[in-house]
Amino acid sequence: MRRFVIGQAKNLIDQTRRPRPHHNNIRLLSLLASDPIPVSSSRLFSDMPGSDSSSSLPVTIDSINPNVLKCEYAVRGEIVNIAQKLQDDLKINKDAYPFDEIIYCNIGNPQSLSQQPITFFREVLALCSHTALLDRDETHALFSADSIARAWKILDQIPGKATGAYSHSQGIKGLRDAIAAGIEARDGFPADPNDIFMTDGASPGVHMMMQLLISSEKDGILCPIPQYPLYSASIALHGGSLVPYYLDEASGWGLEISELKKQLEDAKSKGITVRALAVINPGNPTGQVLSEENQRDIVDFCKKEGLVLLADEVYQENVYVPDKKFHSFKKVARSMGYGEKDISLVSFQSISKGYYGECGKRGGYMEVTGFTSDVREQIYKVASVNLCSNISGQILASLVMSPPKPGDESYESYIAEKEGILSSMARRAKTLEEALNKLEGITCNRAEGAMYLFPCINLPQKAIAAAEAAKTAPDTFYCKRLLNATGIVLVPGSGFRQVPGTWHFRCTILPQEDKIPAIVNRLTEFHKSFMDEFRD
Amino acid sequence: MALEYDLLNENVKKCQYAVRGELYLRASELQKEGKKIIFTNVGNPHALGQKPLTFPRQVVALCQAPFLLDDPNVGMLFPADAIARAKHYLSLTSGGLGAYSDSRGLPGVRKEVAEFIQRHMFVVTVCFPHSDPELIFLTDGASKGVMQILNCVIRGEGDGILVPVPQYPLYSATISLLGGSLVPYYLDESENWGLDVNNLRQSVAQARSQGISVRAMVIINPGNPTGQCLSEANLKEILKFCYNEKLVLLGDEVYQQNIYQDERPFISSKKVLMDMGSPFSKGVQLVSFHTVSKGYWGECGQRGGYFEMTNIPPRVVEEIYKVASIALSPNVSAQIFMGLMVSPPKPGDISYDQFARESKGILESLRRRAKIMTDGFNSCKNVVCNFTEGAMYSFPQIRLPPGALQAAKQAGKVPDVFYCLKLLEATGISTVPGSGFGQKEGVFHLRTTILPAEEEMPEIMDSFKKFNDEFMAQYDNGFGYSRM
């Protein structure tokens, strides 16, 4: 029965994807008519007359916070804006394009590409959304017994069973208990629910830490290059300095301590005080899973240099290769004998990724260890200004960290759904990696984890020259051409930063498995014709 | 230790948010020790027994678990209109509740918000003012929206933001965090917390003489903690003032459903602005905020809100969009709550009667409780309380005798904090001291909500009166009082 309704629900969601037309797009459509389109940076509206000419108004482009102007976020930047306009235009001008749909491979948003949510999780959420259901006999016919039991358990942990009330600013205590227990079960080391701060996704937690750590541009944060641009954007917004450390593409995006040391010294010589080291493991966009030995070196480095370790572990459930395993930095630190007094560590987790992919729910937490109580009070205070994170997301985070166990009624279907999703991701990662490696001038490291492929593209000089003439970065030039020819949306490597003079793009592994062959074909065809045009 | 307290961002250390500060923390401690606490520190209706409205919860439950929609038994648990509405909202998403939406929020929901705003404005002028969904951004609660806009406006400590005193401390805390300057303008307690434009002029002049560039003005209408509802004339004055002084107006209108008198119904700043016509309607920049947390909905835990921008240049809108995109998207469930709030069941819908009955019940009870509390406070010794015209709070003035001021000083506490702590320990009533909101020098208040259950109100007010009158007797030595 449930398999049937899951299939039906899938159809419903497939049918319902109808993008809405945007206002003000008539001028933009006429701009898009000619090809290629040199749109400078992200200023789509800059050609509109009189748009900012009213200097008598207090808030204009010239008078807003310069940190806002400085920050960039390519994952939903220029290329995506173009794609959305194309998608709208496709509705009315089907025949004008060599493709019939836009395929968004720019963003780790699994459920927008038909990945199904985990049934058990959604059962619990539905029951907690409308608690009156729990008083009805008919509910037993529609919901599994263990989802009903779990809903009761959760509601008992919420004062007054009021899921619509602001909770404790760190999140509902009972849910934090479940998360702490989940962390302990995962790592084999205890976790304290008072160290947990639940947030609307992991991103607000990152912002909070940047706000705490950065007082001026003299404060630096070591970030991997390539990196997920939340870090660069957040550092820019808070007026700090990004201190880059380069991952080594030749060794599968390895993280060298010698590189960390070099960059730290370099920053110091420029008068920058480095306050923290951000590590994304598994990596984004690079997908590498760090070895335990590497992690130990990193922990030692942070301890020695007095840096806060910011461990972005949102892809901890996405590991696709048998020779690698996820180990949390907390586990590594504790197994080295380092405790609260030895290392300041903030570990971020999210419900958006993994096999659950619940991006739109906005749930996550940071586990904050190794800070004095006066610092923790400040973290609490900042969290309290926003009162609390959304309750539904909190519930989901606790479910992710304490899912059904063997023997539970829903365990079989839960495991089947989970493994189905993860094995499919592993297959898609492999298929796309192989396909990309076949393309002329493209080399692609394997995706050991996360949700992306980040191939290196060796662009011919002619292409680079054409990009320069179009006042666009070469990888952006390539991605725009690709979009216009195939409808596939990628993110240029410049959005993540890369070794200067190298070019990449990020592609998710998330399109539905049955669409992958068509994507590979279109990509291959496009690439061949691009190289034919620009080959030196 | 890598992160020493001394090395923290000063702006973080400076910021204060009393709503969940010292009193709340003390109350939580006492609760852990087994004491019965009545939390009246924050506008959190469901925590004090207000029930969620049935219809939205039914719709969202179906959206959480779309497989229910295909189960033949679903009609036994859910009315047909809730089922239809769930399908409608799911159709607006790009993959259900679990997919990131557009960073500004689902276009379909923003369209419903725009229609809601237009219905309120219902203006017919030559300019055909309307509400553009492209200028409406949904956010994880109105607070996030306020922070985003202030982040845009504040460049440094040279930038000042006019904020009412008393104010909801989100504003002072955010201005602190962003390194800006708070420029206070005092509301007049003797005029039921009225806003006098002369006070505004004075505040701006003073700030400018200190080299501060005043960039924006915040109004909270209905007010928090003060509850006053601005008249149309008042709003016109404010808008003219913003036009002349080149200030962007931030209209915090989250309590627009909570109106407890009939003389001054809610009128949005946008409506007044559009009615004023040229040059104001095109010359005043305005950002208006709303939420699902207040009103008769009280869905605080969902974290749903929006802001609407008026006369903000397209390139600035683009930058705000860019910053919103870093957070990817607001949570989708709350977006659906917002859609339901702005387009609730209509007469003729299956769920209409229940919805209307539940809504009316809540609002009428709030109105009664507003009066019970005001009257209750006014019956206490040395307590004077303006009537709560709107919002969710009562903000009585406590005239502390010199003996109490002395005792507070000895205890190392600000006088109203001292009073509120004593109140908490004696009665379990957890309030927020007026100093958390700002007040005139030497004048003390506390903020409580009008949210405790109606049947518990008489007992709560009795308990308060007993404590207060004993406190006053204890510290009253006959010499002068703190007062306006």
Side-chain angles (χ1 to χ4, degrees):
Chain A
M1 166 72 142
R2 196 158 294 129
R3 234 178 292 259
F4 164 75
V5 300
I6 289 170
Q8 291 295 90
K10 196 176 160 185
N11 288 339
L12 181 76
I13 288 172
D14 283 341
Q15 285 163 34
T16 58
R17 243 177 300 132
R18 256 180 277 124
R20 292 289 183 262
H22 293 268
H23 284 357
N24 301 328
N25 62 357
I26 293 155
R27 174 174 279 270
L28 287 150
L29 283 176
S30 68
L31 285 174
L32 290 166
S34 50
D35 182 6
I37 301 95
V39 180
S40 58
S41 72
S42 63
R43 302 272 157 84
L44 290 176
F45 291 94
S46 57
D47 291 355
M48 278 185 163
S51 47
D52 274 271
S53 60
S54 315
S55 57
S56 59
L57 292 173
V59 180
T60 65
I61 199 70
D62 303 308
S63 67
I64 62 171
N65 181 357
N67 289 345
V68 168
L69 294 172
K70 257 198 289 184
C71 82
E72 297 292 337
Y73 185 72
V75 175
R76 273 199 163 169
E78 179 191 13
I79 299 238
V80 178
N81 288 334
I82 298 174
Q84 279 166 349
K85 308 301 179 221
L86 285 178
Q87 189 170 37
D88 292 339
D89 196 54
L90 256 177
K91 297 299 152 196
I92 41 183
N93 283 324
K94 254 192 169 51
D95 302 321
Y97 301 94
F99 48 85
D100 49 18
E101 63 172 334
I102 299 290
I103 304 184
Y104 288 97
C105 298
N106 60 305
I107 181 173
N109 194 11
Q111 293 191 30
S112 75
L113 292 158
S114 299
Q115 179 176 307
Q116 294 302 297
I118 299 296
T119 307
F120 177 77
F121 293 166
R122 291 304 191 90
E123 285 182 294
V124 175
L125 283 181
L127 291 165
C128 292
S129 286
H130 183 43
T131 56
L133 289 170
L134 292 165
D135 298 323
R136 304 279 300 271
D137 290 330
E138 297 94 323
T139 299
H140 294 275
L142 268 74
F143 291 83
S144 60
D146 54 349
S147 70
I148 293 171
R150 184 70 80 102
W152 275 119
K153 182 163 181 225
I154 289 169
L155 289 167
D156 284 339
Q157 292 167 335
I158 300 176
K161 299 188 175 40
T163 54
Y166 292 126
S167 71
H168 185 287
S169 295
Q170 285 177 244
I172 294 159
K173 178 63 169 37
L175 299 179
R176 285 186 278 132
D177 289 341
I179 290 172
I183 293 171
E184 183 167 348
R186 179 194 70 196
D187 294 345
F189 291 96
D192 185 349
N194 293 322
D195 291 343
I196 311 251
F197 287 77
M198 301 188 74
T199 48
D200 290 305
S203 301
V206 171
H207 284 301
M208 253 195 263
M209 289 313 300
M210 294 305 177
Q211 184 156 61
L212 231 79
L213 291 166
I214 297 171
S215 299
S216 74
E217 72 268 11
K218 287 201 165 45
D219 291 313
I221 312 286
L222 271 163
C223 290
I225 301 298
Q227 48 98 50
Y228 173 52
L230 163 68
Y231 291 91
S232 45
S234 189
I235 293 165
L237 276 173
H238 291 100
S241 292
L242 189 152
V243 178
Y245 66 89
Y246 291 87
L247 300 174
D248 182 20
E249 187 158 14
S251 62
W253 298 113
L255 201 164
E256 302 295 322
I257 300 297
S258 54
E259 167 68 3
L260 290 179
K261 285 196 177 122
K262 171 163 163 276
Q263 296 297 350
L264 181 62
E265 290 311 315
D266 194 61
K268 275 188 192 154
S269 71
K270 293 189 185 129
I272 292 174
T273 311
V274 179
R275 316 273 266 121
L277 169 67
V279 180
I280 310 174
N281 182 45
N284 177 6
T286 48
Q288 87 285 16
V289 177
L290 297 172
S291 70
E292 255 187 296
E293 189 189 340
N294 212 176
Q295 288 181 276
R296 283 194 288 267
D297 291 339
I298 292 165
V299 168
D300 267 330
F301 176 77
C302 289
K303 183 172 187 298
K304 179 162 171 283
E305 304 291 345
L307 305 178
V308 175
L309 177 52
L310 303 174
D312 179 336
E313 299 177 331
V314 303
Y315 295 101
Q316 55 186 265
E317 299 269 11
N318 302 101
V319 178
Y320 309 127
V321 294
D323 57 308
K324 290 288 182 77
K325 201 168 161 283
F326 169 76
H327 303 283
S328 76
F329 268 101
K330 176 136 168 284
K331 177 173 104 171
V332 170
R334 293 289 179 270
S335 60
M336 292 166 79
Y338 293 148
E340 287 278 334
K341 296 207 184 338
D342 300 301
I343 178 143
S344 302
L345 167 63
V346 184
S347 314
F348 300 94
Q349 165 63 318
S350 168
I351 65 173
S352 300
K353 312 300 177 190
Y355 56 89
Y356 21 91
E358 296 279 18
C359 303
K361 303 291 295 165
R362 310 319 277 118
Y365 67 80
M366 52 182 190
E367 185 190 9
V368 175
T369 56
F371 292 88
T372 52
S373 59
D374 50 5
V375 172
R376 294 166 60 88
E377 267 163 34
Q378 297 300 313
I379 300 176
Y380 171 83
K381 183 177 70 176
V382 173
S384 75
V385 179
N386 194 48
L387 285 150
C388 71
S389 65
N390 85 81
I391 307 302
S392 183
Q394 289 187 35
I395 292 172
L396 206 30
S398 79
L399 291 170
V400 160
M401 296 306 286
S402 57
K405 284 189 290 296
D408 293 352
E409 178 186 323
S410 299
Y411 181 72
E412 298 293 331
S413 57
Y414 157 78
I415 277 294
E417 287 175 354
K418 171 181 174 181
E419 293 188 345
I421 289 167
L422 287 174
S423 59
S424 172
M425 281 184 183
R427 285 192 300 271
R428 286 178 273 168
K430 200 90 196 75
T431 305
L432 283 167
E433 177 217 325
E434 281 169 357
L436 288 164
N437 272 311
K438 289 205 178 90
L439 302 179
E440 181 188 345
I442 290 188
T443 50
C444 188
N445 281 336
R446 65 175 183 168
E448 298 182 347
M451 288 178 176
Y452 314 98
L453 287 162
F454 197 66
C456 179
I457 173 168
N458 197 357
L459 287 167
Q461 263 311 114
K462 258 174 88 180
I464 294 175
E468 265 161 37
K471 291 195 173 44
T472 310
D475 45 18
T476 306
F477 179 76
Y478 179 87
C479 288
K480 275 191 208 164
R481 281 293 200 99
L482 175 70
L483 171 60
N484 284 309
T486 65
I488 298 171
V489 188
L490 305 176
V491 189
S494 349
F496 304 89
R497 293 185 55 171
Q498 52 211 338
V499 169
T502 66
W503 312 108
H504 300 78
F505 56 81
R506 189 186 78 167
C507 180
T508 70
I509 60 169
L510 298 173
Q512 286 163 274
E513 211 163 342
D514 56 11
K515 289 206 160 124
I516 299 279
I519 292 171
V520 169
N521 286 342
R522 269 194 254 170
L523 192 57
T524 305
E525 247 182 68
F526 160 78
H527 187 77
K528 185 173 180 306
S529 74
F530 183 91
M531 294 304 276
D532 285 343
E533 186 180 343
F534 291 106
R535 201 175 287 112
D536 290 323
Chain B
M1 200 57 53
L3 187 56
E4 301 279 326
Y5 179 80
D6 295 330
L7 298 176
L8 288 182
N9 181 357
E10 284 302 317
N11 291 342
V12 168
K13 286 188 264 185
K14 267 193 287 186
C15 104
Q16 297 297 330
Y17 185 69
V19 173
R20 281 214 161 157
E22 180 181 5
L23 251 298
Y24 170 72
L25 292 169
R26 180 74 186 121
S28 305
E29 265 171 42
L30 288 171
Q31 187 182 46
K32 276 200 199 106
E33 290 167 20
K35 190 175 172 68
K36 176 169 190 281
I37 303 293
I38 303 152
F39 285 98
T40 73
N41 59 306
V42 63
N44 198 10
H46 295 197
L48 291 152
Q50 179 176 311
K51 297 268 163 277
L53 299 168
T54 307
F55 184 73
R57 290 308 188 94
Q58 289 171 326
V59 174
V60 174
L62 288 166
C63 293
Q64 299 276 21
F67 56 79
L68 292 170
L69 291 168
D70 294 296
D71 194 306
N73 293 319
V74 68
M76 293 201 299
L77 282 177
F78 296 90
D81 56 353
I83 292 169
R85 202 66 97 88
K87 287 184 176 156
H88 161 71
Y89 284 111
L90 283 172
S91 77
L92 298 180
T93 69
S94 47
L97 299 188
Y100 293 127
S101 71
D102 184 304
S103 298
R104 297 162 293 188
L106 295 166
V109 173
R110 283 151 56 216
K111 182 159 171 286
E112 292 181 2
V113 172
E115 287 163 3
F116 160 77
I117 292 170
Q118 278 172 204
R119 284 195 299 275
H120 170 79
M121 291 201 295
F122 192 42
V123 173
V124 178
T125 75
V126 154
C127 309
F128 298 113
H130 71 299
S131 179
D132 183 353
E134 298 296 284
L135 298 174
I136 294 168
F137 284 28
L138 306 182
T139 52
D140 284 314
S143 298
K144 280 271 158 72
V146 168
M147 291 180 195
Q148 277 173 38
I149 299 298
L150 285 175
N151 183 48
C152 213
V153 171
I154 295 173
R155 296 164 297 189
E157 65 183 352
D159 285 332
I161 312 291
L162 267 167
V163 174
V165 177
Q167 48 97 46
Y168 173 53
L170 163 68
Y171 294 95
S172 46
T174 303
I175 292 165
S176 240
L177 280 171
L178 296 173
S181 293
L182 190 151
V183 179
Y185 67 89
Y186 290 84
L187 300 174
D188 190 351
E189 188 160 12
S190 64
E191 296 292 330
N192 215 48
W193 298 112
L195 201 165
D196 184 347
V197 174
N198 291 314
N199 281 347
L200 288 178
R201 290 205 188 95
Q202 219 176 0
S203 297
V204 172
Q206 186 163 19
R208 284 182 180 151
S209 72
Q210 290 165 349
I212 290 174
S213 168
V214 185
R215 310 256 282 141
M217 173 175 175
V218 174
I219 56 169
I220 310 174
N221 179 38
N224 177 6
T226 47
Q228 85 287 13
C229 299
L230 295 173
S231 68
E232 189 171 354
N234 229 175
L235 284 166
K236 277 206 177 100
E237 270 186 310
I238 291 164
L239 288 160
K240 279 203 181 112
F241 179 79
C242 288
Y243 177 80
N244 290 326
E245 303 296 335
K246 303 202 198 319
L247 308 172
V248 55
L249 182 62
L250 306 184
D252 180 337
E253 300 177 333
V254 301
Y255 294 101
Q256 56 185 266
Q257 289 175 356
N258 302 99
I259 311 291
Y260 311 127
Q261 39 71 39
D262 303 315
E263 293 77 34
R264 273 176 305 286
F266 172 74
I267 312 176
S268 73
S269 306
K270 177 147 184 192
K271 176 171 161 64
V272 175
L273 180 60
M274 292 300 122
D275 282 346
M276 287 164 82
S278 259
F280 308 101
S281 54
K282 287 239 162 7
V284 178
Q285 293 183 308
L286 168 65
V287 185
S288 314
F289 301 88
H290 197 13
T291 181
V292 302
S293 300
K294 310 300 177 192
Y296 50 89
W297 283 62
E299 292 280 8
C300 302
Q302 308 301 338
R303 313 317 276 111
Y306 74 74
F307 60 85
E308 184 196 20
M309 296 174 279
T310 304
N311 296 324
I312 305 291
R315 286 176 67 188
V316 175
V317 173
E318 211 184 290
E319 293 295 320
I320 296 172
Y321 182 7
K322 179 181 73 178
V323 175
S325 73
I326 301 169
L328 287 153
S329 94
N331 89 74
V332 179
S333 316
Q335 295 187 44
I336 294 174
F337 270 98
M338 181 57 78
L340 289 163
M341 189 179 83
V342 299
S343 38
K346 287 188 295 294
D349 292 351
I350 296 165
S351 301
Y352 176 73
D353 284 341
Q354 176 188 62
F355 182 84
R357 193 178 56 242
E358 289 172 350
S359 312
K360 200 156 164 275
I362 291 168
L363 277 175
E364 286 176 352
S365 174
L366 283 168
R367 191 181 266 237
R368 287 191 297 269
R369 283 178 277 170
K371 190 159 194 315
I372 293 171
M373 265 206 151
T374 308
D375 292 347
F377 282 129
N378 279 317
S379 77
C380 298
K381 191 165 196 283
N382 296 338
V383 178
V384 171
C385 190
N386 280 333
F387 175 63
T388 297
E389 298 183 353
M392 285 178 175
Y393 311 96
S394 194
F395 197 64
Q397 188 193 143
I398 316 288
R399 296 172 171 179
L400 293 168
L405 299 176
Q406 189 83 327
K409 196 162 173 200
Q410 277 169 352
K413 297 277 176 211
V414 169
D416 49 19
V417 172
F418 178 76
Y419 179 91
C420 291
L421 281 169
K422 290 264 175 237
L423 170 67
L424 169 64
E425 272 148 28
T427 66
I429 300 171
S430 172
T431 57
V432 188
S435 38
F437 304 88
Q439 50 205 351
K440 278 212 169 85
E441 183 83 35
V443 184
F444 303 104
H445 305 80
L446 58 81
R447 186 187 83 165
T448 173
T449 66
I450 59 170
L451 301 172
E454 204 170 336
E455 56 271 20
E456 288 174 31
M457 275 276 179
E459 198 193 319
I460 292 172
M461 295 317 289
D462 282 344
S463 178
F464 176 86
K465 187 174 165 66
K466 183 167 180 290
F467 159 80
N468 177 77
D469 294 357
E470 278 170 11
F471 180 97
M472 293 303 168
Q474 181 186 359
Y475 291 104
D476 184 355
N477 53 18
F479 300 104
Y481 289 74
S482 73
R483 64 152 95 209
M484 307 183 288

